[in-house]
Amino acid sequence: MERALNRAEARRGWFVAGLLLAVGGVVFFSLRPIFIKLAYAWVTYPITLLALRMVFSVPFLITAALWVRSATGHRPLSGHELAAVVTLGILSYYGASFLDFLALQYIPAGLGRLLLFTYPTIVVILSAALLRKGVTGREVAALVLTYAGLLLVFAQSLEGEQENFWLGAALAFASSICYALYLVAGAEVISRVGSVRFTAYALSAASVACILQSLLLRPLSALDVPAPVYGYAIAMAVLSTAVPVFMTSEALRRVGANTVAIIGALGPVTTIAFGWLGLEEVMTPLQLAGAALVLIGVVVISLKPAAPAKG
């Protein structure tokens, strides 16, 4: 009996730690668009800014990779596993991040995060289209809520010509699609190779892609930027890349994608709050109502229906 109670207590502690990791990951991730917008006051090249962010992330990735290799029971990745990790890393940490950096040149941080947060609904659509999974009535209702909320958020932009705004919105939505593709394809890979090793290797692949892109498209002199930009890049590398990525990967292992997705509803809210505090961004009551609908829709689509009781 005592042994069973100890096991139950250990499971609760494991789950609570996963919840705290997921919340921390969301809060730290929410700082990224704030740092990007602040850096854009000094430099307007997202390629350079993204490369600097990845350069300063590399020491953390190397440390994590060496730590995993020294662990007891470590096994090398197969060629298939390594290819999958590299592909997913480039799709998410490079592709989705680059599109997000581009989008934030044109739209506020809060709206950019809100659009990125549509990924759970896109996961449902992709699963139905690519994996032939049926769509339930609950999922349809969540999709309607989510995209009705987006219409309210962008209602003010329906009047007049705002090409840059819509370009930014399209880029942010494309970033969300990349991240959804990563989630659809990545859950099984993470369970096989481990969360820390997956994160270290996937982010390393993305870092190489970002740095190569900068070297090919921008001269080395582009790295000669004002000191505050280096500060924001370091902050992004540490506070909104390395720390939350490892926290979220471990949270996925402890509590699962469903719970992490629900906790992710904090993301747009915290980014809007940070944008209001640090960037003096504002949202109208209509846009706040739309944001609430989006969050409700995402929570509904993330919740699994309760399993029927066994008789």
Side-chain angles (χ1 to χ4, degrees):
M1 182 69 175
E2 184 178 349
R3 187 176 299 175
L5 288 174
N6 288 337
R7 284 199 298 268
E9 187 66 28
R11 284 196 297 270
R12 279 195 296 271
W14 177 269
F15 187 79
V16 170
L19 291 178
L20 293 175
L21 286 167
V23 171
V26 167
V27 173
F28 281 113
F29 266 133
S30 299
L31 289 170
R32 186 182 71 179
I34 307 303
F35 291 137
I36 295 171
K37 296 291 281 188
L38 290 170
Y40 278 156
W42 300 87
V43 62
T44 58
Y45 300 111
I47 293 174
T48 301
L49 192 56
L50 183 57
L52 286 174
R53 171 204 178 195
M54 290 307 195
V55 165
F56 291 121
S57 299
V58 166
F60 298 96
L61 307 180
I62 293 174
T63 301
L66 291 175
W67 178 70
V68 170
R69 288 180 66 85
S70 66
T72 304
H74 171 78
R75 68 168 181 85
L77 296 180
S78 67
H80 176 74
E81 289 173 333
L82 183 60
V85 170
V86 169
T87 300
L88 290 170
I90 291 175
L91 177 67
S92 58
Y93 301 127
Y94 167 67
S97 292
F98 183 52
L99 290 168
D100 188 33
F101 271 66
L102 289 174
L104 289 170
Q105 289 184 303
Y106 309 115
I107 58 177
L111 293 183
R113 186 66 178 170
L114 189 66
L115 271 171
L116 182 62
F117 192 64
T118 59
Y119 70 85
T121 63
I122 300 173
V123 166
V124 170
I125 295 170
L126 290 175
S127 296
L130 302 178
L131 305 179
R132 306 300 181 189
K133 291 186 178 180
V135 180
T136 67
R138 177 176 57 86
E139 290 169 338
V140 170
L143 290 170
V144 170
L145 282 171
T146 300
Y147 292 100
L150 288 177
L151 284 177
L152 288 179
V153 169
F154 298 131
Q156 289 183 320
S157 300
L158 293 176
E159 300 177 0
E161 293 292 328
Q162 298 195 31
E163 294 180 6
N164 287 344
F165 178 90
W166 290 109
L167 173 60
L171 289 167
F173 194 69
S175 175
S176 183
I177 292 174
C178 285
Y179 190 65
L181 284 167
Y182 154 74
L183 288 179
V184 170
E188 183 186 356
V189 178
I190 292 175
S191 66
R192 289 204 311 267
V193 307
S195 62
V196 175
R197 179 160 58 165
F198 173 86
T199 302
Y201 289 12
L203 258 177
S204 295
S207 297
V208 171
C210 292
I211 294 168
L212 283 177
Q213 180 190 40
S214 179
L215 292 175
L216 289 172
L217 300 180
R218 301 289 302 161
L220 283 176
S221 59
L223 298 178
D224 183 15
V225 295
V229 177
Y230 283 104
Y232 294 133
I234 292 171
M236 276 191 285
V238 178
L239 297 178
S240 59
T241 302
V243 170
V245 161
F246 285 111
M247 291 177 78
T248 302
S249 293
E250 182 61 19
L252 283 169
R253 189 169 74 92
R254 289 172 179 258
V255 301
N258 182 59
T259 302
V260 171
I262 295 170
I263 293 173
L266 293 170
V269 176
T270 51
T271 299
I272 289 169
F274 288 144
W276 177 68
L277 291 171
L279 301 176
E280 298 183 355
E281 292 184 351
V282 295
M283 290 188 75
T284 66
L286 188 63
Q287 288 175 319
L288 289 172
L293 280 180
V294 172
L295 298 179
I296 292 170
V298 171
V299 170
V300 168
I301 212 167
S302 301
L303 287 169
K304 291 180 179 177
K310 294 184 179 180

